Amino acid sequence: MNGWDWIKGASSSSMSSMPSMARSRTSSHITDRQPSSRTVRLGRIQPQAPGHRTIYCNDREANLPVRFKFRRVANLYFLMISILSTTPISPVHPITNVVPLSLVLFVSLVKEAFEDWKRLNNDKVINSSPVDVLVEQKWVSIPWRKLQVGDIVRVKQDGFFPADLLFLASTNPDGVCYIETANLDGETNLKIRKALERTWDYVLPERAAEFKGEIQCEQPNNSLYTFTGNLIMEKQTLPLTPNQGCSLRNTEYIVGAVIFTGHETKVEYIFSDKTGTLTRNLMEFFKCSIGGEMYGMGVTEIERGAAQRSGHQVDEVKRSPTAVHEKGFNFDDPRLMRGAWRNEQDPEICKEFFRCLAICHTVLPEGDESPEKIMYQAASPDEAALVIAAKHFGFFFYKRTPTMVMVRESHVEKMGKIQDVSYEILNVLEFNSTRKRQSVVCRYPSGRLVLYCKGADTVIYERLSDGNGNMKKVTREHLEQFGSAGLRTLCLAYKDLDVEYYGAWNEKFIQAKSALREREKKLDEVAEMIENELVLLGCTAIEDKLQEGVPACIETLSRAGIKIWVLTGDKMETAINIAYACSLINNDMKRFVISSETDEIRDIEDRGDAVETARAIKDLVKQELKRCTGEAERSLHMTPAPKLALVIDGKCLMYALDPQLRGSLLRLSLNCSSVVCCRVSPLQKAQVTSLVKNGARKITLSIGDGANDVSMIQAAHVGVGISGLEGMQAVMASDFAIAQFRFLTDLLLVHGRWSYIRICKVVTYFFYKNLTFTLTQFWFTFRTGFSGQRFYDDWFQSLYNVIFTALPVIMVGLFDKENIFFVIYVLMSTFYFYLTLLLVPVVALFGDFLYIGLQRWFAPYDYQIIQEMHRRDPQESTRTELQEIGRRLTPDEERSYAIAQLPRETSRHTGFAFDSPGYESFFALQAGVYVPQKAWDVARRASMSGPQPRTQKI
């Protein structure tokens, strides 16, 4: 990890909308891809070059924040319909379409405004956090929101990083610091970061103000785990390595330069990962093979399950007095414990094996430097288990600096002697999913240069030197036995390096590490040059036990007709035994195995011809797919038809996913109840998921717990993340999050069934509701001669779906569970239920009171009010008397009847018809009928304009 380290900053509110907030390069508001690189000029101004951006240190005016725009397009269909309703060709009033659209948008606006308001309050708190910024050779505290690119900042212990920082100096010796990235990816393991020796003294503000340099780096992007950049100081180019952080630990304070701020910063088929998803991801060192000799006497859960299936009984092995069991270590073999390895046939290879465990890693020690109290912070549980194993074998790793690893070795020179040895770490070739190995180049105190390497057996065996074939063969047999027991295996190897050879290689390594483009690819190519001609030391076997309830969960899902596929990077034997242990495969199934681990393929691989090897594997896959597909189709016609299971490894899967063969793979896979894919990469996981999703048109679900499962989770229709020990990346990329695999049963079979029933009810309701609404209008057109006249009022049509028919949907949501009586019981047992019963009529009456009050206030002369005022006036005849048949009318009744027959006029002033009883005297006068005048006739005369025609007497 030589060179400047780049620390990514974030806080618990890293997704905030404030522009000065560090956002871990996950901002979704950057709509356009920026140029590939930019230049950060520290201390002086330089014109910008094309494709670069310049940031000036200690010049706040020159570093104006970059603003971005974003757009949202929604509800275009309803908007177009609303626009068309305003044209003359529309049979409906515009309000019919505008009101529902406006109501939906208003509700969405209120909801988003409320969420933005809460986020704004949280952002105000976060962005008001203080940070020390260098101003005129002294530290000045300012809030985060005022931070700008190019500022030199000081972050204290346990403080959060306010932006993406370039690590300059630290109060710790050798310019190192420890960071925690929990707010980025959920990992609580501490990670070490360091600066170059040339900047270690930039701790004090006087020295930090003298810092000058030019940084060439990539533009802001959404990649959280990659960064490419170089620092140029005094015409010397220094590489910036991709490191990320969130909060500072175990360090008084650090000094850094701000690089990025604000928006610039970084159910039919189930596809499941194995480690951490089906298993607990609690690794324990269980067995090992050193120099062709197997060590370890324990029995795994997988071995017990296999013995029970075959009808055998496994006797419990009594633990020896030297057995040790702590977290990460469950090993029992007196031949290796307490220095007994010195009495083995080849103690030198045992010593190299243990040193490889103690040196080849990136683990950080914490706490007291004693074997009993020390704690290890590792990137994965596997790595921690290996370091713990080295401690119990007498090689105690207790301290690390950026360039040194300190190991307390016991029984090396003679029994009982303990000595502290410092190994200088020259290069670290880190592990990734493509390389599947990790290497460390170290220098002994004596000057000896050694490369230690550990990784998957497939990649290690490809890089071993010729000779010692018997040990390779025996170790491979041990690997298969460990895999059959469900153990995770790693191979260990080493190589002595010549000083001149290493010097030439190191120059190429530095050049590759300084590359701005395709740095990872070039580093892998350089690593291939030195990771060859290795000497095999042996292999380790780590147990990862199954999670509670996994077999029962898989069995239940299988009985429900759901097919489960396991996509894992483990060995085939390990994956098969895990599949047996969790009831994914049983002895009643017909099993198809497509593997590249055959004698024919191994012989071709030993020749070293990559083209011939690829052709042989492709031909093998083609033949096996054809054979297995034929057998599967014949098996389906048998009575009873047996269940089928397919097991395929990563090499064969790579060729099976070829466009020419993927159809055959899909047909075979769809006929199988279970599929296990071994030794697969994250990309292959996503390809398999997409094959079923797009090729078979089936609903798919992917479940995983680590970063290597993100592509698989995102490729499926439904993604489920498990919040385990490998961080929160799978959870953040998923649709649902659960704690253990067994909860998938409730998610699919309980909540899934409720959702299915709920959707069916709602779909049926909406179908018949709209059918009733439409058919009424359809039959009405026959009565109107297809004139286009509408049956419904505009307001009724607008509010039909929005309000009038919304109550059934609410009731379906309220009584979602099948046990309605239980829901009613729960509702009636709450205080809010009775409070609601009381408030509903009160609110309704209060609303009616407000409506009437407003109506009378703004329209006091409305005819309805006049009717209400004279509703209690005495009448000369009652309704009963009017309804009597055959009775002769009185003169008053005849006059009332005549008044009722008068024509209805319309006021020129108000536009309303004068049909209320208050104006009957005026109408009677116009018709020649005498009626006593009343006071309110004045309102009628005042509303009329123009001369009225006179009645002429004949």
Side-chain angles (χ1 to χ4, degrees):
M1 294 190 296
N2 290 330
W4 286 58
D5 282 355
W6 175 68
I7 303 178
K8 298 185 180 191
S11 71
S12 59
S13 164
S14 62
M15 294 303 295
S16 64
S17 59
M18 299 298 289
S20 64
M21 186 66 185
R23 309 233 302 172
S24 308
R25 304 184 74 172
T26 55
S27 174
S28 61
H29 298 283
I30 302 178
T31 57
D32 299 325
R33 177 68 178 176
Q34 301 295 326
S36 59
S37 61
R38 70 174 180 178
T39 300
V40 180
R41 193 72 176 179
L42 303 177
R44 57 193 177 93
I45 299 177
Q46 176 182 352
Q48 296 189 17
H52 291 73
R53 265 177 64 188
T54 303
I55 297 178
Y56 309 97
C57 184
N58 295 327
D59 191 346
R60 300 180 64 84
E61 295 182 357
N63 294 310
L64 295 178
V66 181
R67 303 183 182 274
F68 297 90
K69 299 180 180 179
F70 65 93
R71 298 176 294 177
R72 283 184 56 185
V73 181
N75 296 317
L76 285 180
Y77 169 77
F78 298 100
L79 180 61
M80 292 302 298
I81 294 299
S82 300
I83 294 174
L84 291 176
S85 66
T86 62
T87 62
I89 62 173
S90 175
V92 298
H93 196 276
I95 199 172
T96 305
N97 296 311
V98 172
V99 168
L101 176 62
S102 302
L103 183 61
V104 171
L105 293 179
F106 176 75
V107 173
S108 301
L109 179 64
V110 171
K111 174 180 176 294
E112 293 181 2
F114 179 69
E115 293 178 352
D116 290 342
W117 177 75
K118 293 193 299 182
R119 188 180 300 112
L120 177 63
N121 291 335
N122 186 49
D123 292 344
K124 288 181 179 179
V125 176
I126 296 298
N127 288 306
S128 298
S129 302
V131 62
D132 293 340
V133 178
L134 183 64
V135 179
E136 297 180 355
Q137 298 188 358
K138 63 180 181 179
W139 299 115
V140 178
S141 179
I142 65 172
W144 282 11
R145 63 176 177 272
K146 295 184 179 180
L147 194 65
Q148 292 186 8
V149 170
D151 288 344
I152 302 298
V153 300
R154 178 177 67 174
V155 180
K156 299 180 181 179
Q157 183 172 353
D158 297 330
F160 289 100
F161 295 115
D164 293 352
L165 304 180
L166 186 66
F167 182 26
L168 300 180
S170 168
T171 55
N172 285 345
D174 302 328
V176 300
C177 72
Y178 300 90
I179 61 174
E180 182 184 273
T181 62
N183 283 336
L184 290 181
D185 51 21
E187 295 184 5
T188 57
N189 302 318
L190 295 185
K191 300 173 178 60
I192 189 172
R193 298 293 179 262
K194 66 176 180 178
L196 289 179
E197 295 183 10
R198 297 183 57 183
T199 62
W200 286 356
D201 57 347
Y202 288 147
V203 178
L204 299 177
E206 296 80 9
R207 290 287 296 142
E210 301 174 2
F211 172 64
K212 296 182 179 180
E214 179 178 330
I215 300 175
Q216 296 179 349
C217 63
E218 62 185 5
Q219 286 286 352
N221 55 69
N222 60 355
S223 178
L224 182 63
Y225 297 97
T226 60
F227 177 79
T228 303
N230 288 330
L231 171 67
I232 301 177
M233 291 183 63
E234 299 178 359
K235 299 182 180 181
Q236 183 179 2
T237 302
L238 305 172
L240 304 178
T241 57
N243 297 316
Q244 64 280 344
C246 184
S247 57
L248 189 64
R249 296 287 186 268
N250 298 348
T251 305
E252 183 179 352
Y253 69 85
I254 67 166
V255 178
V258 178
I259 300 298
F260 297 134
T261 62
H263 294 283
E264 297 180 348
T265 55
K266 327 234 183 162
V267 264
E268 201 165 329
Y269 284 84
I270 295 179
F271 300 89
S272 172
D273 181 38
K274 184 189 76 68
T275 304
T277 304
L278 300 178
T279 59
R280 301 179 185 177
N281 203 13
L282 297 175
M283 310 300 179
E284 293 182 340
F285 190 94
F286 200 72
K287 291 184 179 182
C288 64
S289 174
I290 306 176
E293 187 69 25
M294 183 186 297
Y295 299 93
M297 301 184 299
V299 179
T300 65
E301 293 181 346
I302 307 300
E303 289 177 309
R304 294 190 181 94
Q308 292 176 0
R309 288 192 301 271
S310 59
H312 298 88
Q313 185 175 0
V314 178
D315 297 331
E316 292 293 335
V317 179
K318 294 183 178 180
R319 299 183 67 84
S320 63
T322 59
V324 178
H325 187 190
E326 71 167 87
K327 183 179 179 181
F329 190 78
N330 186 17
F331 182 83
D332 182 16
D333 198 324
R335 293 177 294 173
L336 295 182
M337 302 301 294
R338 299 180 181 178
W341 55 267
R342 289 179 53 86
N343 301 324
E344 290 299 293
Q345 183 177 0
D346 193 347
E348 288 298 320
I349 197 171
C350 292
K351 181 169 60 178
E352 294 292 343
F353 183 91
F354 299 144
R355 280 177 176 164
C356 183
L357 294 180
I359 296 174
C360 186
H361 57 79
T362 57
V363 176
L364 299 176
E366 277 188 329
D368 295 339
E369 297 178 1
S370 62
E372 297 80 14
K373 297 182 180 180
I374 197 166
M375 299 291 293
Y376 291 121
Q377 295 287 345
S380 66
D382 303 69
E383 200 167 36
L386 296 178
V387 176
I388 293 173
K391 177 183 71 173
H392 289 287
F393 291 140
F395 291 75
F396 172 41
F397 162 64
Y398 66 92
K399 188 177 181 181
R400 174 190 288 276
T401 68
T403 58
M404 304 294 289
V405 166
M406 288 73 166
V407 180
R408 186 166 298 156
E409 299 181 351
S410 305
H411 319 295
V412 174
E413 296 182 0
K414 64 179 182 178
M415 288 294 296
K417 184 177 181 180
I418 300 176
Q419 58 184 2
D420 291 345
V421 184
S422 298
Y423 297 94
E424 183 180 2
I425 304 299
L426 303 177
N427 306 93
V428 177
L429 307 179
E430 297 189 3
F431 177 91
N432 59 48
S433 58
T434 303
R435 286 169 38 82
K436 296 183 179 180
R437 63 188 182 277
Q438 179 186 35
S439 297
V440 168
V441 179
C442 66
R443 179 184 284 119
Y444 279 47
S446 62
R448 177 192 177 194
L449 289 177
V450 182
L451 178 140
Y452 287 113
C453 182
K454 66 180 181 183
D457 57 316
T458 54
V459 297
I460 297 297
Y461 266 73
E462 293 174 352
R463 291 161 176 79
L464 295 179
S465 60
D466 297 333
N468 204 0
N470 183 58
M471 178 183 170
K472 297 179 185 177
K473 181 179 179 181
V474 174
T475 304
R476 189 184 292 272
E477 293 176 355
H478 293 166
L479 286 168
E480 293 177 355
Q481 295 180 29
F482 294 153
S484 301
L487 300 175
R488 298 165 56 88
T489 58
L490 282 177
C491 284
L492 276 62
Y494 80 104
K495 174 183 179 180
D496 285 307
L497 300 176
D498 182 75
V499 176
E500 296 181 358
Y501 171 78
Y502 168 75
W505 175 85
N506 192 42
E507 292 181 1
K508 298 179 181 178
F509 179 77
I510 295 175
Q511 293 177 1
K513 201 172 183 179
S514 303
L516 277 177
R517 300 183 183 275
E518 299 182 343
R519 176 181 295 180
E520 297 298 327
K521 179 181 179 181
K522 294 179 180 178
L523 285 174
D524 290 346
E525 292 175 353
V526 173
E528 291 285 349
M529 299 178 183
I530 198 171
E531 292 175 329
N532 53 37
E533 299 298 321
L534 303 176
V535 178
L536 182 65
L537 293 172
C539 65
T540 61
I542 296 177
E543 183 181 20
D544 186 12
K545 298 182 179 181
L546 286 176
Q547 290 185 11
E548 179 184 357
V550 168
C553 175
I554 291 180
E555 184 178 0
T556 302
L557 295 176
S558 299
R559 286 192 283 113
I562 300 175
K563 298 180 179 179
I564 302 175
W565 294 24
V566 173
L567 312 177
T568 177
D570 286 339
K571 290 171 57 64
M572 177 173 288
E573 295 79 9
T574 305
I576 291 176
N577 283 278
I578 290 292
Y580 270 107
C582 62
S583 302
L584 188 65
I585 300 178
N586 54 54
N587 293 330
D588 297 331
M589 288 184 174
K590 183 177 180 59
R591 195 175 72 186
F592 301 116
V593 179
I594 302 178
S595 173
S596 61
E597 298 295 324
T598 63
D599 295 337
E600 180 182 357
I601 299 298
R602 288 173 181 171
D603 292 340
I604 298 176
E605 289 178 340
D606 293 338
R607 300 172 193 167
D609 191 341
V611 177
E612 184 181 2
T613 301
R615 181 186 56 80
I617 296 178
K618 186 174 182 179
D619 292 341
L620 172 68
V621 171
K622 185 176 181 180
Q623 296 173 5
E624 288 296 308
L625 285 176
K626 184 177 179 180
R627 178 186 65 83
C628 295
T629 303
E631 292 186 14
E633 292 177 352
R634 288 191 297 270
S635 299
L636 294 177
H637 295 288
M638 298 174 58
T639 305
K643 289 187 176 182
L644 307 177
L646 172 64
V647 181
I648 183 172
D649 66 5
K651 288 185 179 179
C652 294
L653 183 63
M654 179 177 63
Y655 295 99
L657 291 173
D658 186 85
Q660 298 178 354
L661 300 177
R662 65 173 59 180
S664 300
L665 174 64
L666 182 61
R667 286 192 298 271
L668 174 60
S669 302
L670 295 180
N671 290 327
C672 297
S673 301
S674 303
V675 177
V676 178
C677 300
C678 318
R679 293 296 198 194
V680 294
S681 64
L683 177 60
Q684 288 178 321
K685 293 182 179 182
Q687 290 175 337
V688 172
T689 306
S690 300
L691 177 65
V692 178
K693 175 183 176 181
N694 301 324
R697 303 292 181 183
K698 303 293 186 180
I699 302 299
T700 58
L701 180 147
S702 294
I703 179 171
D705 73 315
N708 59 338
D709 303 319
V710 170
S711 57
M712 175 182 68
I713 290 174
Q714 294 178 337
H717 291 96
V718 181
V720 179
I722 293 182
S723 53
L725 300 179
E726 294 190 13
M728 299 296 292
Q729 298 177 59
V731 170
M732 292 187 291
S734 63
D735 302 304
F736 301 93
I738 57 179
Q740 295 184 24
F741 184 86
R742 60 189 176 96
F743 298 146
L744 195 62
T745 301
D746 291 340
L747 179 64
L748 295 180
L749 303 185
V750 179
H751 296 280
R753 184 172 186 271
W754 288 346
S755 176
Y756 181 79
I757 295 175
R758 179 171 58 248
I759 291 175
C760 291
K761 290 180 180 179
V762 173
V763 168
T764 305
Y765 169 73
F766 275 91
F767 174 77
Y768 286 108
K769 172 175 66 72
N770 289 285
L771 183 65
T772 304
F773 182 82
T774 306
L775 285 180
T776 306
Q777 178 67 45
F778 175 74
W779 289 112
F780 182 70
T781 57
F782 288 96
R783 304 297 301 271
T784 60
F786 299 95
S787 62
Q789 182 178 355
R790 292 182 298 112
F791 179 76
Y792 299 106
D793 178 72
D794 287 337
W795 283 104
F796 180 86
Q797 185 172 347
S798 300
L799 302 178
Y800 177 76
N801 286 315
V802 180
I803 297 179
F804 296 155
T805 58
L807 184 60
V809 179
I810 297 176
M811 298 305 296
V812 169
L814 184 62
F815 299 103
D816 190 17
K817 293 187 177 181
E818 294 181 356
N819 192 350
I820 299 179
F821 298 103
F822 177 75
V823 176
I824 296 176
Y825 170 76
V826 173
L827 286 176
M828 295 185 66
S829 62
T830 60
F831 167 76
Y832 297 101
F833 174 77
Y834 299 98
L835 180 62
T836 304
L837 290 181
L838 293 176
L839 289 180
V840 166
V842 173
V843 171
L845 292 175
F846 181 72
D848 183 66
F849 170 77
L850 290 178
Y851 172 76
I852 296 176
L854 292 175
Q855 187 184 45
R856 292 184 177 182
W857 178 267
F858 292 104
Y861 298 105
D862 193 279
Y863 72 94
Q864 294 181 355
I865 300 178
I866 297 176
Q867 287 181 341
E868 181 68 20
M869 292 171 59
H870 298 279
R871 183 173 61 86
R872 299 183 182 276
D873 288 356
Q875 298 293 333
E876 301 181 57
S877 60
T878 62
R879 183 182 300 271
T880 305
E881 295 173 347
L882 292 175
Q883 290 180 350
E884 291 181 358
I885 300 176
R887 182 178 177 182
R888 189 172 182 177
L889 299 178
T890 64
D892 293 336
E893 291 173 348
E894 291 178 351
R895 184 171 59 253
S896 298
Y897 178 76
I899 291 175
Q901 301 300 318
L902 293 177
R904 301 171 59 157
E905 295 188 14
T906 303
S907 172
R908 298 180 184 177
H909 179 68
T910 62
F912 292 98
F914 291 93
D915 55 352
S916 63
Y919 304 105
E920 56 189 25
S921 61
F922 180 82
F923 286 107
L925 179 61
Q926 298 295 319
V929 179
Y930 174 75
V931 175
Q933 292 189 4
K934 298 182 180 180
W936 47 79
D937 284 343
V938 180
R940 164 66 176 138
R941 296 190 183 94
S943 65
M944 300 294 293
S945 62
Q948 298 293 329
R950 296 182 178 180
T951 304
Q952 297 181 356
K953 297 182 179 179
I954 298 178

